[in-house]
Amino acid sequence: MDRRNKRHLRLFPKQGYIMLLIGILIGFMVFLAVSSILSQGGGGGGSGQEGLPSSISFTFLYTSEKQGWLEEVTPAFENWFFERFNINVQVNLVVTGSHDSVNLILQESAQPTAWSPASSIWIPYLNQKWTSLEKGQEIAQDSTPLVLSPVVIAGWSSFFEEYNVTSFHDLYQLAADGTPFKYGHPDPLLSNGGVMAEVLEFADALDKYPEDFTVDDFTNQDAIEFVRLIEANSVMYGKSTGFFGRWAAENGPSAIDCFAVYESVVISNADKATQKWGDSLVAVYPEDGTLLSDHPFVILNAPWVSEYQKFAASQYLFYLLQEENQDKAQDYGFRPANPNVPLDAEVFNEKNGVEFEIKIPTYRPLSGESMENMFTIWHSVKNPGV
């Protein structure tokens, strides 16, 4: 099967547009309700009268990659919300890893209104685990990307020029030919970036879209050996994608030749790496296709989420997708999810080690069962010496 050039960069999925429109509609209706009460002299107390709350507080559970951006724009949202609805809102920002966030929600030790893992690949996994525990219908029913960053094979320009690596299959071929190289990515049991790297390795091993993975694929000995050969060249498994990128840039070409991370990590480290080592740190976009770290915004269908919290969270989503705030996200190395926002050529350029336009296909998420199999098989394919 030739998977190349079959799919292109997907921005707003259909369900994302639906959620956004519903959020805008709910906000408009609440605004009309508040205006009507005030215009009729509803006791002079403003919000808090006629059953409306004077304040709304909700928790947003999200991953650290977008922490700087969210901490910059969230206080302004709280002011914006009050000016619009005359209701105080407090967004409790809670940072944790994608896998950890799933476990916290399943255990109900965290009860967020909104959830944003680093990638949509976690949504089917959470739903599968939630329903298997007989907790009710799927908890994550709609999602909208906040910002985008594709997974790339990052590394030193000299390495790519010598070996012409354009895919994970090329890394397998180098390993099969006995050509030594130093490879790495974050640990899939600790990092979303590590999971995405392993998914892409299996996609090339199986020559299949991740969404088409089956249980039997993870007993396919040829595919397992393909991934094992690549992983045999790993010299490092980091705890997070950002940590891994900083480690590689700091330690240079003698420590590692190439590694799987987000495009945003390359942007963050390219300049200092080039200055330190005299060799450019660049991103290679796997020619067969990649996964997007699309940071989906999900309002949970959970018993602990009130209608007012859903309303406030929908307005937060609407605010984060506004052009001004999407533009600010580019300063942190993210591509805007809102297609109306022009891509900043000062950020996405060769100097920062990346391409302006993404021309390769992008994959849809794998099933929750396949994610479970990925975690199970990891110890069989990883480099045991790392």
Side-chain angles (χ1 to χ4, degrees), residues 12 79 100 155 176 188 196 225 306 310 323 342 371 373 383:
F12 280 111
N79 292 332
D100 286 342
M196 297 175 86
E225 185 59 22
S306 73
K310 289 179 182 178
E323 294 183 22
M371 282 277 281
N373 288 325
N383 185 340

Side-chain angles (χ1 to χ4, degrees), residues 345-361:
E346 294 297 317
V347 175
F348 298 94
N349 56 46
E350 291 184 1
K351 181 181 177 182
N352 285 332
V354 301
E355 296 180 6
F356 182 77
E357 182 181 0
I358 298 176
K359 301 175 183 178
I360 61 172

Side-chain angles (χ1 to χ4, degrees), residues 133-148:
L133 292 171
E134 299 183 351
K135 288 177 174 285
Q137 59 185 323
E138 293 183 345
I139 189 172
Q141 297 183 350
D142 291 293
S143 66
T144 303
L146 286 180
V147 289
L148 307 172

